Amino acid sequence: MRLSYMKLKRKLFSPAIFGFLLSVFISGEVYAASENEKVVNLYSSRHYGVDNELFELFKKQSGIKVNLLQIKEASQMIERIKSEGKKSPADVIITVDIGNAWKAENADLFQPIKTDLLQKSVPSNLVEENFSWYAITLRGRAIVYDKTKIKENEIQNYEDLSNEKFKGKVLARTSNHVYNQSLVASLIQANGEEKTKIWCEKFTNNLARKPEGGDIDQMKAIYNGKGEIAIVNTYYYARLLKSEDPEDQKVVKNLGIIFPNQANRGMHINASIAGIAKYAPNKENGIKLIEFLVSKDAQEILAKMNNEYPVRTDVEWTNVLKNMGKPKFDTVTLSKVGENTPKAIMILDQVGWR
């Protein structure tokens, strides 16, 4: 048990110490404010330009300045806030994927908040069960394939990717990445640990190469003939569809996209989440920021600029997402999926998905 625990700990936070020191070095003292200035201090592991545009809009509407500390890796951000303890200036924490949300929650970094506006705006399955965090954007974990080599009806579910007929055809990120950890956590929720471990073993045997790169790298690898199938986030596929770069158009030309498990539970979703830090010095300003991020105007901007699905049901999808199809999403409570993260990491280690 001791060995398993240490392996799990390394998996969860292996880059943390280096990341913490690096983030301290690059961030400086960005939180000083005059007595009359209204501020909210935001720690975020999102890295999209549209977020900065939203923060400027928030300042114009509310008069509250967003002091943004952007830290690339969620594990680095978590370790920094833990090390700051009660003296942490963080008011709002934003991170990507339910696995990272669980890690932050497990580190006791949040305090619960519950407002009428948040309750009305965000569906209950996208809210932590104790109201510690709220989803602010969604992206589906889809399957892409080479239309010249794979028939569309050959793959309908994530579970189909374990079929031995796909041996040497599947491409994937490493198991260290939270996207894969969360997908496996969702499979545990749906199918149980034993069946999920068998699936992981067979899936790993079907890999065309050692896992490497990001989602767009997997799609490029399909174009270059290194594999025929990959699991990618929908917004990466949409990014290629919208791109005016001829090279991107070559990559996406023969790619098809499948929304898995449409006849049963629906496609697994990743979420960016936001919550109030446990020792937030500007708690009320932080609540206003999160409420703004789930407002209709902000949700429309996020969807349009970053090809993400809105969490609000009254916000229209962008044309590129509509043209990709109307997927059914898995409606399991995301916090329940997050709780399976340690089990998912253990299984990924055991089957050798590196």
Side-chain angles (χ1 to χ4, degrees):
M1 287 300 292
R2 179 66 178 171
L3 178 61
S4 296
Y5 170 76
M6 292 304 294
K7 286 177 69 179
L8 173 59
K9 189 173 181 181
R10 287 197 299 272
K11 270 283 189 179
L12 287 172
F13 298 116
S14 58
I17 295 176
F18 171 77
F20 165 65
L21 293 174
L22 179 62
S23 64
V24 169
F25 175 76
I26 65 175
S27 66
E29 295 298 326
V30 297
Y31 299 105
S34 66
E35 290 184 6
N36 297 322
E37 185 179 32
K38 293 191 294 183
V39 300
V40 58
N41 300 323
L42 168 62
Y43 282 37
S44 176
S45 62
R46 276 175 62 96
H47 48 83
Y48 309 112
V50 63
D51 292 7
N52 294 319
E53 295 180 28
L54 282 172
F55 302 148
E56 285 300 314
L57 179 59
F58 173 69
K59 181 181 178 181
K60 288 179 181 179
Q61 292 184 0
S62 67
I64 300 171
K65 178 184 177 183
V66 178
N67 289 326
L68 171 63
L69 177 60
Q70 215 166 26
I71 301 176
K72 184 177 180 181
E73 298 294 337
S75 57
Q76 297 170 6
M77 180 176 68
I78 291 168
E79 284 302 298
R80 172 161 183 156
I81 299 171
K82 283 171 63 179
S83 69
E84 291 172 342
K86 294 181 180 180
K87 295 182 179 180
S88 177
D91 296 310
V92 176
I93 301 168
I94 292 180
T95 191
V96 177
D97 197 276
I98 181 56
N100 286 328
W102 175 84
K103 292 168 189 177
E105 174 67 20
N106 194 55
D108 195 26
L109 300 189
F110 297 112
Q111 59 175 294
I113 58 168
K114 189 176 181 181
T115 72
D116 289 342
L117 193 153
L118 289 172
Q119 296 301 110
K120 291 176 182 176
S121 302
V122 185
S124 60
N125 67 301
L126 305 179
V127 179
E128 198 277 327
E129 57 187 8
N130 295 313
F131 309 102
S132 292
W133 51 254
Y134 294 78
I136 56 173
T137 67
L138 303 174
R139 53 285 281 276
R141 201 77 179 132
I143 298 171
V144 294
Y145 64 99
D146 186 334
K147 291 188 292 186
T148 68
K149 298 175 181 177
I150 301 291
K151 296 178 182 178
E152 182 179 6
N153 60 5
E154 283 189 85
I155 303 170
Q156 296 183 26
N157 305 304
Y158 295 113
E159 288 81 354
D160 296 334
L161 298 180
S162 65
N163 192 311
E164 63 180 10
K165 72 178 178 179
F166 298 127
K167 188 175 181 64
K169 298 181 180 181
V170 180
L171 297 156
R173 286 180 182 254
T174 72
S175 65
N176 289 321
H177 200 281
V178 70
Y179 291 166
N180 286 334
Q181 294 171 5
S182 294
L183 175 61
V184 172
S186 75
L187 289 170
I188 292 172
Q189 186 67 29
N191 302 324
E193 289 182 60
E194 185 177 347
K195 289 183 178 179
T196 299
K197 183 177 180 180
I198 294 171
W199 180 88
C200 282
E201 288 173 342
K202 294 181 177 180
F203 179 92
T204 303
N205 288 335
N206 284 345
L207 291 174
R209 64 177 183 182
K210 181 180 178 181
E212 62 179 67
D215 286 7
I216 286 182
D217 295 313
Q218 311 312 318
M219 290 185 277
K220 288 181 177 179
I222 292 177
Y223 170 71
N224 290 321
K226 296 180 179 179
E228 299 174 14
I229 306 163
I231 304 174
V232 303
N233 274 351
T234 47
Y235 87 110
Y236 287 117
Y237 180 79
R239 183 187 298 177
L240 291 182
L241 286 178
K242 286 176 62 175
S243 174
E244 296 180 358
D245 186 333
E247 292 304 312
D248 288 342
Q249 288 304 309
K250 288 179 183 178
V251 170
V252 79
K253 180 181 178 182
N254 289 322
L255 283 182
I257 186 167
I258 297 165
F259 300 133
N261 299 84
Q262 296 301 285
N264 42 77
R265 65 184 180 275
M267 176 169 60
H268 168 61
I269 51 176
N270 289 323
S272 289
I273 67 95
I276 297 295
K278 186 172 183 178
Y279 302 109
N282 305 289
K283 178 179 177 180
E284 294 306 314
N285 292 349
I287 291 174
K288 289 178 182 178
L289 176 60
I290 297 176
E291 288 182 334
F292 167 78
L293 291 173
V294 300
S295 69
K296 193 170 183 180
D297 288 346
Q299 289 282 295
E300 287 174 347
I301 293 171
L302 282 166
K304 181 178 180 181
M305 299 297 291
N306 207 41
N307 310 306
E308 296 180 272
Y309 295 107
V311 297
R312 292 180 64 113
T313 58
D314 58 350
V315 172
E316 191 173 359
W317 294 5
T318 61
N319 287 333
V320 66
L321 292 179
K322 287 180 183 177
N323 291 338
M324 284 164 52
K326 181 72 173 178
K328 171 185 174 182
F329 296 136
D330 189 347
T331 58
V332 65
T333 302
L334 285 183
S335 58
K336 292 188 179 297
V337 175
E339 290 169 4
N340 291 327
T341 300
K343 296 176 184 177
I345 292 172
M346 288 292 187
I347 288 174
L348 288 165
D349 271 346
Q350 290 168 358
V351 303
W353 179 345
R354 301 304 181 199

